[in-house]
Amino acid sequence: MIDRHSSYKPDNTMRELIRDNNLLLMTISRFDIAFGFGDSTVRDTCDCNQVDIGTFLAVCNLLSGREHESYPVALPSLMDYLKRAHSSFIDISLPKIRHRIIEAINCSETNEVSFLLIKFFDDYVAEVRQHLSHENDVVFRYVDGLLSGVRDDSFGISQFSVDHDHMGQQLNELKDIFIYHYSQKGNALLSSVLFDIINLEKDLMSHFLVENHLFVPAVEQLEQKLSVTQKEQKTHEAKDEKVEALGEREKEIICCVAKGMSNKEIADALCLSVHTVATHRKNISSKLEIHSTAGLAIFAILHKLVDLKDLNPHASRKE
């Protein structure tokens, strides 16, 4: 027996999870976990089925109203779960309900009303297909790019979050039409259909919950991490560009500056005139946008143009 105040843990058995919340059977199937796991623990079952245990426990705990934040989510595993949920809605749940609606109202004399009810449902299915196709083709593809280190600046997970909808409202309207406005005798089949609609509505809400509380935050973290990495990379590239902008003679001179040599000492060492050295230093400062001797020395050190052991700590660093 699992304590109702604690979260599911890796050492709990799968049997314990199902006994606590039998709706998790749907979750287990969407992680592509084979049934027949007997009394195996969550850890052993996930290992056997190559499922990320943190993601599995985060989803199960969230959908059971338990603490889930302590379990890290692996985006590839979560996206596989969400894609299977999409397939379940489109290929199983919605076609099944449509078929059963037709069965339930087939004997009604109100054929025109029956036609309108089917059309209402078909329009809803088309909307759901469009919504889920957008997630599959745009959102998940965007996240795949993030996982490979590429960010598409034309899209962000915040756009998905703002436009995201649980898709349950029209189902609720259809259910209310049947219950409060559609009159026919012999409602055994219709009651069964309504039960399916209610369960699908709950399933869609659970799906919405997983996307909002697990998927979106995980993608936001990845976006932030990638933004920092790209910013650091751009900074590094900008620094490299500045080094590449220097000529070989300019690099020699900045090394001499870092070593604390005066213009005259640099001129003597490189067989140049003092005027030429001064001109080079002016050009170097202009290219690097660094005008102090100390700044030039630091630049040379940071970009490994000069070795620290070659520096004279007692040099005055006067121009």
Side-chain angles (χ1 to χ4, degrees), residues 180-237:
Y180 302 112
H181 306 288
Y182 186 78
S183 177
Q184 82 170 24
K185 292 289 187 179
N187 284 325
L189 280 177
L190 186 55
S191 296
S192 181
V193 173
L194 292 174
F195 184 74
D196 288 341
I197 290 174
I198 290 168
N199 281 337
L200 177 57
E201 187 180 0
K202 290 179 179 177
D203 198 6
L204 287 168
M205 289 299 295
S206 295
H207 184 75
F208 181 77
L209 200 65
V210 170
E211 288 184 325
N212 272 20
H213 290 267
L214 296 179
F215 178 66
V216 170
V219 176
E220 287 175 339
Q221 288 181 5
L222 183 57
E223 284 178 333
Q224 292 170 2
K225 182 179 178 181
L226 192 59
S227 294
V228 171
T229 301
Q230 289 179 337
K231 185 177 180 179
E232 291 175 347
Q233 183 179 357
K234 287 179 180 178
T235 301
H236 181 70
E237 289 173 354

Side-chain angles (χ1 to χ4, degrees), residues 271-313:
C271 299
L272 300 171
S273 69
V274 174
H275 176 73
T276 300
V277 171
T279 301
H280 275 306
R281 288 191 61 172
K282 183 178 179 181
N283 291 338
I284 291 169
S285 294
S286 178
K287 288 180 180 179
L288 301 181
E289 297 181 348
I290 300 174
H291 301 281
S292 68
T293 301
L296 292 174
I298 292 171
F299 180 90
I301 294 168
L302 291 176
H303 291 275
K304 297 180 171 48
L305 296 177
V306 63
D307 199 307
L308 274 171
K309 68 179 187 327
D310 296 329
L311 302 185
N312 178 7

Side-chain angles (χ1 to χ4, degrees), residues 54-220:
T55 307
F56 177 75
L57 284 171
V59 172
C60 289
N61 278 302
L62 173 66
L63 295 183
S64 299
R66 296 171 180 267
E67 188 278 321
H68 64 275
E69 288 87 354
S70 58
Y71 294 102
V73 170
L75 273 172
S77 181
L78 185 59
M79 283 200 296
D80 285 343
Y81 166 85
L82 294 173
K83 288 174 184 177
R84 290 191 191 96
H86 291 178
S87 296
S88 178
F89 296 140
I90 294 299
D91 301 329
I92 299 175
S93 300
L94 290 169
K96 174 187 172 185
I97 289 175
R98 186 182 194 277
H99 177 72
R100 300 198 67 191
I101 289 175
I102 292 173
E103 280 187 334
I105 64 178
N106 191 40
C107 297
S108 171
E109 295 180 357
T110 55
N111 291 325
E112 184 176 348
V113 175
S114 300
F115 173 78
L116 291 174
L117 287 169
I118 295 297
K119 184 178 184 304
F120 183 99
F121 184 77
D122 286 344
D123 289 345
Y124 170 71
V125 172
E127 183 181 326
V128 172
R129 284 183 179 276
Q130 183 178 10
H131 180 98
L132 298 184
S133 293
H134 173 74
E135 290 187 18
N136 289 338
D137 299 337
V138 177
V139 181
F140 292 160
R141 186 175 298 175
Y142 167 75
V143 178
D144 283 333
L146 292 179
L147 290 168
S148 64
V150 178
R151 179 167 185 178
D152 181 359
D153 291 333
S154 66
F155 185 80
I157 199 63
S158 59
Q159 294 172 246
F160 168 72
S161 183
V162 169
D163 299 331
H164 195 207
D165 184 80
H166 57 70
M167 303 175 292
Q169 182 60 36
Q170 282 182 263
L171 269 184
N172 189 58
E173 290 177 7
L174 180 62
K175 177 187 67 181
D176 286 348
I177 288 172
F178 276 123
I179 294 173
Y180 302 112
H181 306 288
Y182 186 78
S183 177
Q184 82 170 24
K185 292 289 187 179
N187 284 325
L189 280 177
L190 186 55
S191 296
S192 181
V193 173
L194 292 174
F195 184 74
D196 288 341
I197 290 174
I198 290 168
N199 281 337
L200 177 57
E201 187 180 0
K202 290 179 179 177
D203 198 6
L204 287 168
M205 289 299 295
S206 295
H207 184 75
F208 181 77
L209 200 65
V210 170
E211 288 184 325
N212 272 20
H213 290 267
L214 296 179
F215 178 66
V216 170
V219 176
E220 287 175 339

